[in-house]
Amino acid sequence: MSFYPDTLNKKRLATVVGTEIGTYVAGLSFLSFIWYKDIERVPFHLHNDFKGHLQIDKMGHAYSAYQESAIMYYALRWAGVDKKKALLFGGPAGFLFQAPIEIFDGLYNGWGFSWGDIAANAFGSLLFSSQQAFFDDQVFLMKFSYSPSEYRGYHDCLGENEAEHFFMDYNAHTYWLSGGINKLTGSSFFPDWLNIAFGYSVNGVIEKFENPKFYRDEPFPEFERTRQYLVSLDINFTKIPTNKKWLQKVLRAANLIKIPFPALEYNKVDKFRVRPLYF
């Protein structure tokens, strides 16, 4: 059931536009005055980091752009903007929000403009927009799950506190494409909220391109850098029937993450293995 209004609500639209502009300006200010504050500014340059972190960071870029496009689209629909215009202005939002970060990266020493990041941002926005345009629905949701890894504490590039671990330890991240089983199979046997999810994560990744041999003048442990491919079940919370507006919003927000379920994993070291409960 949809709770979006049929006519434009100008007050809501002003709230959406004002929030978007405020967020955009705040983000640019953060980059200019905090993030890059003590970093040397250099001529604009490129940086090929496609092989870095076994591409898990690119999944993060795609996920962020996907969610930002979704948030903007649904915010415009909440304001009474019709589907086509909401998709036209909301669909590219994730890509546009991420673009300044890539430009700033190209202007500072130790960073660089990454076409790989740009491609990942575009993929995320297009994944949302194309599904909304062709199906008026998200056949595949992009989701995220996090579980603290065993590598925290080995190197400060993985963070030095819980907040930094969350963002900097890519071994703890898993990104998922979660699709409705009934929608994908044409069946009506399963509940509409039951999904199958395909995940990607990494293990043993310390620094971007290769792990260090020494750290703080001591030999560094050898960890094999591996990709992990996963299949699991999931829940699409927006397919759970409800007549409550507030609950629909809560359920949509819950779709940001994949809930824990048993999973089948493949990696080149262990081959296939069953994870009784994968977070």
Side-chain angles (χ1 to χ4, degrees), residues 160-270:
E160 299 180 343
N161 54 55
E162 289 302 319
E164 290 183 355
H165 290 322
F166 181 84
F167 289 103
M168 299 170 67
D169 184 2
Y170 289 119
N171 302 284
H173 297 184
T174 305
Y175 295 94
W176 303 84
L177 283 178
S178 175
I181 296 177
N182 283 347
K183 180 81 73 171
L184 295 174
T185 63
S187 169
S188 58
F189 178 79
F190 300 97
D192 284 341
W193 47 260
L194 186 62
N195 280 21
I196 185 170
F198 305 94
Y200 178 72
S201 64
V202 299
N203 196 45
V205 173
I206 308 300
E207 293 184 338
K208 180 180 286 189
F209 294 108
E210 59 182 20
N211 293 347
K213 302 296 183 183
F214 293 90
Y215 178 60
R216 294 178 177 172
D217 298 324
E218 297 288 337
F220 193 80
E222 291 188 13
F223 299 122
E224 186 163 7
R225 297 161 67 97
T226 59
R227 295 177 170 87
Q228 298 172 192
Y229 306 94
L230 303 121
V231 179
S232 181
L233 294 177
D234 186 34
I235 292 177
N236 182 347
F237 290 98
T238 62
K239 299 299 183 182
I240 298 176
T242 177
N243 291 319
K244 305 292 186 181
K245 292 183 180 180
W246 66 268
L247 184 55
Q248 188 186 54
K249 294 176 182 178
V250 170
L251 293 174
R252 187 173 299 283
N255 267 350
L256 290 167
I257 61 173
K258 165 146 178 351
I259 67 169
F261 258 113
L264 177 64
E265 175 190 327
Y266 175 82
N267 66 73
K268 67 179 182 180
V269 176
D270 303 307

Side-chain angles (χ1 to χ4, degrees), residues 62-77:
Y63 172 81
S64 297
Y66 174 91
Q67 298 298 347
E68 288 163 351
S69 290
I71 289 169
M72 191 60 192
Y73 172 82
Y74 293 122
L76 290 171
R77 295 288 291 124

